[in-house]
C-alpha cells in the first residue's frame, strides 16, 4: 500500500503535468503552503502529510479527489472517480432485449 506522502506527491506531479502549476514551488504557493513543504515531503522529512495540507490542495484545485490523497481511491481527480462510478454502474445494468 502506498503512503499518504507518495499519493500526495502523485497529486503534485499531476497538477504540474496538467499545467495547473509550473513546478512544486508554484504548487505550494498556489495552495497556500509553506515554500518548503513539498521538498520536505519529497525528502522524507515529513512523517505523513497532514490533513490541513491535503485540504489546502483540494480547496485550491477543487477537481482533486481528496480520497485519493487519503489512500481511499485510485482516482486522482473527481472526474476520473465519477467516470469510474458510472462505468461500474453501467456494467451492473442488465439489458433486456425482449
Amino acid at each position: 500500500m502506498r503512503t499518504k506522502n507518495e499519493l500526495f506527491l502523485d497529486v503534485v506531479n499531476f497538477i504540474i503535468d496538467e499545467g495547473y502549476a509550473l513546478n512544486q514551488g508554484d504548487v505550494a504557493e498556489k495552495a497556500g503552503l509553506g515554500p518548503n513543504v513539498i521538498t520536505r515531503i519529497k525528502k522524507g522529512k515529513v512523517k505523513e502529510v497532514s490533513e490541513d495540507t491535503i485540504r489546502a490542495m483540494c480547496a485550491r484545485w477543487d477537481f482533486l479527489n481528496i480520497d485519493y490523497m487519503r489512500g481511499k481511491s485510485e482516482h486522482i481527480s473527481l472526474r476520473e472517480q465519477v467516470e469510474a462510478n458510472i462505468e461500474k454502474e453501467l456494467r451492473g445494468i442488465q439489458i433486456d432485449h425482449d
Side-chain angles (χ1 to χ4, degrees), residues 15-97:
I15 289 167
I16 295 167
D17 291 347
E18 294 296 314
Y20 296 103
L22 299 174
N23 53 45
Q24 68 185 34
D26 194 30
V27 172
E29 182 180 328
K30 288 180 175 181
L33 305 174
N36 298 319
V37 169
I38 296 171
T39 300
R40 290 176 37 104
I41 293 166
K42 202 178 238 185
K43 291 183 176 183
K45 294 183 178 186
V46 174
K47 183 177 180 179
E48 185 174 86
V49 175
S50 72
E51 276 296 308
D52 287 343
T53 298
I54 290 171
R55 283 193 295 271
M57 293 285 283
C58 290
R60 174 57 180 90
W61 292 284
D62 60 1
F63 57 83
L64 294 176
N65 183 358
I66 197 166
D67 285 338
Y68 180 84
M69 285 188 272
R70 291 176 174 160
K72 297 178 181 179
S73 173
E74 61 188 59
H75 305 285
I76 288 180
S77 74
L78 291 172
R79 179 186 177 114
E80 290 173 352
Q81 182 68 57
V82 167
E83 288 172 352
N85 290 346
I86 290 170
E87 187 176 316
K88 183 179 176 183
E89 288 293 321
L90 289 175
R91 282 193 309 248
I93 296 173
Q94 192 162 22
I95 299 173
D96 189 5
H97 294 286

